[in-house]
């Protein structure tokens, strides 16, 4: 893996073979079909992952069901659950380089970024450990001497967790420690193209002392295994992160099965609102980061730049200068800032939108090249000017490094364009005027909002969307409560006053 002299990572000479994970152990692929994943940054096979069958899924759900029903996890104290989560945090810290390496190989993101994300995940586990102890209900001591009301939170049960390929480990860890803190058990179904780090987390959790059967990983396709998980009668809740189209099918599957509770984090078309009074140098850097980070394959990427008309042209030029300097390169190179496009399908989608923007009459200011690097698939960041908010490039989630610039004249117009989208995941405002910042942050419909920054956050802050961007919240205390249900307990004190004399 590591060339000791040059200190440059290289892809493995042979793909690493994984099994799937249940009951605290690896299950080898055996005679199951294997999915061979090639590194999008290098075009060489890097992992082989079993395609689980429907029978496998049923066995895994049954194991998570038993682990929930016999209370081996939810019956522990919050302090005991916290101890496991803290140990897992320590093990993730120790294995950061390894996790980041496989994440980069399967996803194509820069290795330095992958390491940063894994480090962030350590904090998620540490914070959620505290929440396992802090989770509590409510009581009503004001019902008179004859009664008392207690409101408790109970773990919802078996949680199906379907995750995408853009942040395989980060999105997983924005959910798993919080779900575990609540006392639930989990059947995780990672994207078929980025399963490795979810499987590594299973091994880590087991080593950290998580009881067998509490965290399980079923690998395989979305259309078969994902769909069956969404329909499963023994799954009490499903957390789905992915496309809006599959989000709809998951809602239907819940309605047609057991009405399982749903958490959904879906697409976004997030505005970056820049006023003339902003620190334009900072804003240009932030806007460039917001669209090129993770090659724009980010549900919260700032894909629409709404900029005050008086500085629109100048500012687009400043962002262009920044984006031209972004180091697009081999994901295993420490200097790389933007890596490969993760899937062939996504590569085609982005290129088709770059063509469509020009057909719609927008001006391609910079970018769109497909540099030949290391045998992988890469796209230079793009800026479209002379665009309007009704163009497809401004309305549809491209999920790539494509920024669309739309000028505005007034605060009201900025708010109205920002909200003129089916989505409501995230938004940023750049201004030094506190009144503008607060007005915009109040009136723009988005689950996450940034003032003079973007793509920031931490384990404390809940994430999720308004409108078609989804239901519910992950992370923070809300992210634990989301995986609980509420029970109200009315307690009668003393002698009953009889109904029948
Ligand atoms: O997502 P899918 P895809 C958006 C982005 C991207 C588009 C398509 O715009 O271009 O979605 O990406 C599983 N029942 N986002 O096709 O298919 C699948 O195996 C149950 C935004 O990769 O939604 C994977 O684990 N599950 C997003 C997960 O769903 C199913 C992140 C996501 O895959 C399923 C990713 C089914 N019928 C893409 N079909 C974000 N919000 O961050 C697939 N899956």
């Amino acid at each position: 893996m590591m060339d000791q002299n040059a200190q440059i990572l290289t892809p493995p000479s042979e793909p690493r073979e994984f099994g799937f994970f249940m009951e605290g152990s690896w299950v080898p692929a055996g005679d199951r079909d294997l999915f061979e994943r090639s590194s999008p940054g290098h075009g060489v096979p890097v992992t082989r992952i079993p395609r689980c069958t429907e029978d496998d899924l049923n066995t895994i759900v049954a194991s998570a069901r038993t682990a929930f029903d016999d209370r081996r996890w939810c019956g522990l104290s919050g302090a005991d659950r916290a101890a496991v989560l803290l140990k897992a945090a320590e093990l993730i810290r120790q294995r950061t380089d390894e996790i980041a390496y496989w994440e980069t190989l399967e996803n194509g993101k820069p290795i330095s970024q992958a390491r940063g994300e894994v480090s962030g995940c350590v904090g998620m586990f540490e914070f959620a450990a505290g929440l396992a102890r802090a989770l509590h209900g409510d009581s009503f001591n004001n019902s008179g001497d004859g009664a008392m009301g207690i409101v408790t939170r109970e773990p919802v049960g078996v949680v199906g967790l379907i995750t995408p390929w853009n942040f395989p480990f980060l999105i997983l860890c924005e959910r798993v420690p919080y779900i575990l803190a609540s006392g639930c058990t989990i059947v995780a179904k990672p994207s078929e193209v980025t399963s490795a780090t979810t499987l590594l987390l299973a091994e880590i959790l087991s080593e950290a002392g998580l009881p067998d059967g509490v965290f399980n990983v079923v690998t395989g396709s979305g259309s078969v295994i994902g769909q069956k998980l969404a329909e499963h009668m023994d799954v009490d809740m499903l957390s789905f992160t992915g496309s809006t189209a599959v989000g709809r099918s998951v809602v239907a599957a819940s309605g047609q099965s057991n009405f399982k509770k749903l958490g959904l984090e879906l697409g976004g078309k997030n505005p970056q609102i820049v006023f003339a009074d902003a620190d334009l140098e900072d804003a240009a850097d932030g806007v460039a980061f917001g669209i090129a980070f993770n090659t724009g394959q980010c549900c919260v990427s700032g894909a629409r730049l709404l900029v005050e008309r008086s500085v629109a042209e100048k500012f687009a030029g400043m962002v262009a200068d920044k984006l031209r300097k972004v180091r697009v390169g081999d994901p295993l190179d420490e200097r790389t800032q933007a890596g490969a496009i993760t899937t062939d399908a996504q590569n085609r989608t982005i290129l088709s939108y770059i063509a469509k923007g020009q057909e719609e009459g927008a001006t391609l200011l910079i970018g769109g090249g497909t540099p030949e690097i290391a045998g992988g698939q890469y796209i230079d960041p793009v800026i479209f000017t002379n665009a309007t908010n009704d163009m497809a490039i401004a309305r549809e989630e491209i999920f790539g490094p494509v920024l669309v610039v739309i000028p505005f004249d007034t605060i009201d117009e900025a708010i109205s364009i920002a909200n003129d989208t089916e989505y409501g995941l995230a938004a940023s405002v750049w201004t030094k005027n506190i009144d503008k910042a607060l007005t915009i942050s109040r009136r723009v419909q988005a689950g996450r909002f940034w003032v003079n920054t973007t793509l920031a956050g931490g384990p404390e802050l809940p994430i999720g969307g308004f409108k078609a961007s989804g239901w519910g919240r992950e992370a923070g205390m809300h992210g634990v409560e989301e995986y609980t249900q509420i029970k109200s307990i009315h307690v009668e004190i003393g002698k009953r006053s009889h109904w029948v004399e």
Side-chain angles (χ1 to χ4, degrees):
M1 288 197 248
M2 173 88 81
D3 174 343
Q4 293 299 336
N5 297 322
Q7 293 290 298
I8 293 175
L9 292 166
T10 53
S13 50
E14 282 288 313
R16 177 168 172 183
E17 221 161 276
F18 286 84
F20 60 98
F21 204 93
M22 60 170 289
E23 283 292 340
S25 306
W26 291 105
V27 182
D31 55 7
R32 291 172 188 83
D33 289 344
L34 290 176
F35 176 78
E36 187 170 83
R37 172 64 175 156
S38 281
S39 161
H42 310 92
V44 298
V46 288
T47 52
R48 289 206 192 107
I49 311 281
R51 284 187 201 275
C52 289
T53 62
E54 209 182 318
D55 281 349
D56 293 330
L57 173 70
N58 289 334
T59 311
I60 293 173
V61 171
S63 134
R65 177 86 263 158
T66 303
F68 183 75
D69 290 346
D70 70 13
R71 304 187 64 79
R72 71 185 76 164
W73 180 242
C74 67
L76 299 182
S77 68
D80 286 345
R81 285 204 292 275
V84 172
L85 295 174
L86 287 173
K87 180 69 183 164
E90 193 187 317
L91 295 173
I92 294 170
R93 189 181 282 115
Q94 283 166 16
R95 291 176 70 175
T96 298
D97 286 347
E98 180 199 357
I99 298 167
Y101 177 71
W102 294 102
E103 188 84 332
T104 286
L105 287 174
E106 287 195 331
N107 168 279
K109 65 181 64 205
I111 185 74
S112 59
Q113 180 192 320
R115 266 191 226 113
E117 287 169 15
V118 177
S119 301
C121 294
V122 172
M124 304 274 181
F125 273 84
E126 288 171 343
F127 183 66
L131 297 182
R133 306 185 71 162
L135 183 64
H136 66 280
D138 207 351
S139 62
F140 287 83
N141 199 25
N142 59 354
S143 310
D145 281 347
M148 182 167 188
I150 306 171
V151 181
T152 59
R153 286 189 176 274
E154 295 182 3
V156 99
V158 176
V159 176
L161 179 55
I162 299 179
T163 52
W165 42 258
N166 55 338
F167 292 95
F169 198 70
L170 181 70
I171 287 178
L172 183 74
C173 294
E174 283 170 345
R175 289 151 179 75
V176 168
Y178 302 90
I179 301 173
L180 292 178
S182 76
C184 291
T185 62
I186 299 175
V187 177
K189 208 293 293 167
S191 163
E192 45 274 55
V193 295
T194 54
S195 301
T197 55
T198 303
L199 290 162
L200 292 178
L201 182 67
E203 186 179 69
I204 286 170
L205 286 170
S206 193
E207 199 183 327
L210 190 71
D212 295 349
V214 175
F215 182 78
N216 311 277
V217 182
V218 58
T219 50
S221 77
S223 54
V224 178
I225 299 298
Q227 182 69 30
K228 293 289 172 198
L229 187 59
E231 291 169 359
H232 211 291
M233 295 298 285
D234 258 341
V235 173
D236 302 299
M237 178 165 173
L238 186 82
S239 165
F240 170 79
T241 308
S243 62
T244 303
V246 176
R248 278 185 214 287
S249 74
V250 158
V251 171
S254 167
Q256 282 153 20
S257 55
N258 58 348
F259 285 102
K260 57 180 63 61
K261 188 177 174 184
L262 295 174
L264 304 172
E265 192 182 340
L266 309 173
K269 194 71 188 178
N270 312 292
Q272 291 265 2
I273 304 168
V274 178
F275 285 92
D277 62 16
D279 179 325
L280 293 182
E281 291 289 338
D282 282 2
D285 188 70
V287 169
F289 173 66
I291 193 64
F293 179 72
N294 215 48
T295 54
Q297 299 177 116
C298 209
C299 51
V300 289
S301 73
R304 290 185 297 150
L305 168 58
L306 315 187
V307 52
E308 197 163 354
R309 194 177 304 276
S310 58
V311 294
E313 200 175 323
K314 169 182 162 195
F315 187 72
M318 292 169 72
V319 178
D321 286 344
K322 288 273 180 184
L323 285 179
R324 275 195 209 95
K325 289 189 211 155
V326 171
R327 292 188 297 277
V328 178
D330 180 342
L332 288 174
D333 184 333
E334 293 292 338
R335 294 160 302 178
T336 293
Q337 289 177 294
I341 306 301
T342 304
T343 67
D344 298 347
Q346 192 57 37
N347 203 49
R348 285 193 297 276
T349 300
I350 298 169
L351 293 175
S352 76
Y353 274 109
I354 295 172
K356 193 180 234 172
Q358 295 171 86
E359 285 158 23
E360 287 182 302
T363 305
L364 182 78
L365 185 65
I366 59 155
T370 52
E372 286 189 13
I373 302 166
Q377 53 199 13
Y378 298 83
I379 298 177
D380 289 326
V382 168
I383 300 182
F384 275 115
T385 54
N386 293 322
T388 55
N389 202 50
D390 56 5
M391 292 179 175
I393 52 167
R395 300 204 81 74
E396 294 164 21
E397 185 181 53
I398 299 175
F399 222 56
V402 181
L403 182 68
V404 180
V405 185
I406 301 165
F408 68 83
D409 290 298
T410 63
I411 296 185
D412 281 345
E413 193 189 359
I415 293 167
S416 141
I417 301 172
N419 288 338
D420 179 16
T421 165
E422 65 176 307
Y423 296 116
L425 202 52
S428 298
V429 65
W430 300 82
T431 175
K432 289 297 179 192
N433 180 313
I434 186 77
D435 298 343
K436 283 183 196 166
L438 289 176
T439 301
I440 296 272
S441 66
R442 271 196 179 145
R443 287 175 50 196
V444 170
Q445 298 155 331
R448 298 174 76 180
F449 199 90
W450 294 292
V451 178
N452 292 325
T453 189
T454 195
L455 308 188
E460 299 82 1
L461 295 181
I463 57 183
F466 285 25
K467 304 199 287 189
S469 290
W471 291 346
R473 293 293 177 270
E474 306 284 357
M477 184 48 114
H478 292 89
V480 181
E481 290 176 350
E482 198 73 36
Y483 293 91
T484 64
Q485 47 192 346
I486 287 173
K487 179 177 281 175
S488 48
I489 303 173
H490 179 105
V491 184
E492 196 81 7
I493 301 169
K495 181 75 183 150
R496 177 175 174 83
S497 127
H498 286 215
W499 184 57
V500 181
E501 293 298 332

